[in-house]
Amino acid sequence: MSVFQNVTVIVPSLNPDEKLMKVVEALEREGFDDIIVVNDGSRADRLCNFPDPAEHPSCTVLVHEVNKGKGAALKTAFKYFLENRPDRLGVVTVDGDNQHKSADVKKCCEKMLDTGALVLGVRDFSLPHVPRRSRIGNRITSFVFRIGCGMKISDTQTGLRAFPGETLPAMLEISGDRFEYETNMLLSLGDYGIKLAEQTIETVYIEENQTSHFRPVRDSIRIYSLILKFLASSVIAAVVDVSLYYLGLVLLSGLLGTLARLIAFFIARAISSCTNFTINKHKVFENSDSVGRTLLRYYALAIPIMVISIGGVELFEYFIGNGIPIITTLVKIAVDVIMFICSFRIQRAWVFAKRKNKD
């Protein structure tokens, strides 16, 4: 069987213009014979731009009565595929704005079938015609993925992705209904043991991507939600730690003298770390494993990080430092930032990892 008979194309669309039909017709000319278009709650005046299955028998149109988001549209199509296309080997997602060339769609499908990996069609953001906001946005997201998650991805927001069929049940479990879903998908690949590959594609921007439904502020917050929630959890724990330490000094100093500092430190750190653990488990990483197992892993990480944080500053002072408070403080900030990044990566990959990826 050819790639066209093995792979189904999925095109999510909201309020499309005439470019959607250009995408469908180009795919048909390329030879794709099964195209699922998802109408994600489009306005009545835009319905004329969707393909008519009577005229385009290769097309199936699925409808959301109200807008649910790109992630929800993809999940609807994935579920439909699993229920109705048992003989097909995979799917490829394509944006409906005519910025993905049909020849590149075919290349991604062929690479997916050859490697068994989830294949990203990646663009070259160094080209002069790439809109500034797209170039900056991708560089920031790629940097965050590399530093925060240890993943080197050239194009984190590409909509051209080819999925082996066996990966789709996992895709349905991943959280997110809008643009953040595509980011969460990449973050979750390791949890499900899914391989990732890249295929270079032509970099096309029509009208500087003005027809994109991406909302820079709101959708960026959604995309970075995991890291932002982890940061918020750390800040909350820090506030609890400092507040309880101060309260302990006030209440205990008169009774215990210098010993009050040590007792206040351990009480504050114990309660603040439990606070941080609870938020991370239930709100940040949404982990459903037993408290006992994850708690042991959490403190197996938290205690060495605390020792390294304290020891790093002390070593600097011993070998290089000169006792200037501002220098010591800056060193502590630098060490804590490094420890924050390490803690995030280890908590995501080990402490609160999905059960499927446990040892």
Side-chain angles (χ1 to χ4, degrees):
M1 295 178 70
S2 71
V3 63
F4 312 113
Q5 296 170 302
N6 281 328
V7 181
T8 294
V9 182
I10 293 173
V11 187
S13 187
L14 171 64
N15 299 325
D17 56 19
E18 71 284 349
K19 289 193 285 292
L20 176 59
M21 282 307 307
K22 293 181 180 179
V23 171
V24 170
E25 290 168 354
L27 291 168
E28 290 176 331
R29 286 195 299 271
E30 192 70 41
F32 287 98
D33 61 356
D34 187 35
I35 303 170
I36 299 174
V37 180
V38 183
N39 171 7
D40 186 31
S42 299
R43 300 194 310 263
D45 64 319
R46 296 300 183 96
L47 298 183
C48 60
N49 293 315
F50 283 90
D52 182 352
E55 298 179 7
H56 297 271
S58 65
C59 292
T60 300
V61 180
L62 307 180
V63 180
H64 288 169
E65 295 300 328
V66 297
N67 174 245
K68 297 181 179 181
K70 185 178 183 181
L74 291 175
K75 290 178 184 178
T76 293
F78 291 161
K79 184 178 180 182
Y80 182 90
F81 173 87
L82 289 172
E83 294 173 349
N84 296 277
R85 302 292 189 269
D87 297 328
R88 299 251 165 179
L89 299 181
V91 303
V92 58
T93 61
V94 178
D95 290 342
D97 55 8
N98 204 28
Q99 295 186 162
H100 295 147
K101 297 299 184 182
S102 57
D104 287 329
V105 177
K106 181 183 177 182
K107 290 177 184 177
C108 289
C109 293
E110 290 173 335
K111 188 162 189 173
M112 178 267 290
L113 294 172
D114 288 342
T115 63
L118 191 163
V119 177
L120 303 181
V122 299
R123 298 160 289 184
D124 182 355
F125 287 89
S126 66
L127 297 176
H129 69 279
V130 175
R132 185 169 177 267
R133 71 170 185 171
S134 297
R135 180 184 297 112
I136 293 174
N138 185 74
R139 284 177 178 173
I140 292 173
T141 309
S142 295
F143 176 79
V144 169
F145 265 77
R146 182 176 297 188
I147 299 299
C149 307
M151 301 175 69
K152 185 178 179 181
I153 300 177
S154 305
D155 187 351
T156 59
Q157 294 304 306
T158 179
L160 178 50
R161 305 180 180 201
F163 301 78
E166 60 268 21
T167 67
L168 297 184
M171 296 301 107
L172 292 175
E173 295 180 6
I174 296 169
S175 63
D177 288 331
R178 298 191 179 274
F179 285 103
E180 79 279 6
Y181 173 66
E182 292 180 307
T183 300
N184 294 345
M185 181 191 298
L186 298 177
L187 290 171
S188 301
L189 295 182
D191 296 332
Y192 295 99
I194 298 172
K195 295 187 298 182
L196 183 67
E198 295 185 347
Q199 171 65 50
T200 303
I201 62 173
E202 185 176 348
T203 305
V204 180
Y205 280 95
I206 299 173
E207 299 169 354
E208 293 201 343
N209 212 24
Q210 292 301 315
T211 58
S212 172
H213 296 288
F214 185 84
R215 298 161 296 186
V217 176
R218 185 180 302 181
D219 290 321
S220 291
I221 291 174
R222 288 178 180 272
I223 287 171
Y224 299 122
S225 61
L226 179 64
I227 294 174
L228 291 174
K229 286 190 292 186
F230 185 79
L231 177 61
S233 174
S234 300
V235 170
I236 291 171
V239 171
V240 170
D241 186 64
V242 172
S243 300
L244 290 177
Y245 180 72
Y246 174 76
L247 183 62
L249 290 180
V250 171
L251 296 176
L252 300 176
S253 291
L255 299 174
L256 302 174
T258 56
L259 188 60
R261 290 198 298 273
L262 185 62
I263 294 176
F265 172 82
F266 280 108
I267 291 175
R269 186 53 55 92
I271 296 176
S272 65
S273 63
C274 285
T275 301
N276 182 245
F277 168 81
T278 301
I279 296 174
N280 286 355
K281 177 173 171 56
H282 297 292
K283 299 298 182 181
V284 179
F285 299 104
E286 300 178 355
N287 179 276
S288 59
D289 290 350
S290 68
V291 172
R293 181 171 182 171
T294 50
L295 191 63
L296 285 174
R297 290 188 172 193
Y298 175 84
Y299 279 108
L301 170 66
I303 292 173
I305 281 184
M306 181 177 68
V307 172
I308 292 171
S309 180
I310 296 172
V313 176
E314 292 302 316
L315 285 173
F316 173 84
E317 280 297 317
Y318 182 80
F319 289 106
I320 303 174
N322 50 21
I324 300 176
I326 185 63
I327 300 297
T328 302
T329 301
L330 290 174
V331 171
K332 184 181 186 314
I333 291 173
V335 172
D336 286 348
V337 168
I338 294 172
M339 290 299 98
F340 174 86
I341 294 171
C342 292
S343 179
F344 174 79
R345 291 177 62 167
I346 296 172
Q347 286 192 46
R348 188 183 71 85
W350 180 59
V351 177
F352 300 110
K354 300 288 184 184
R355 181 173 296 275
K356 293 178 182 179
N357 202 39
K358 298 248 192 257
D359 46 38

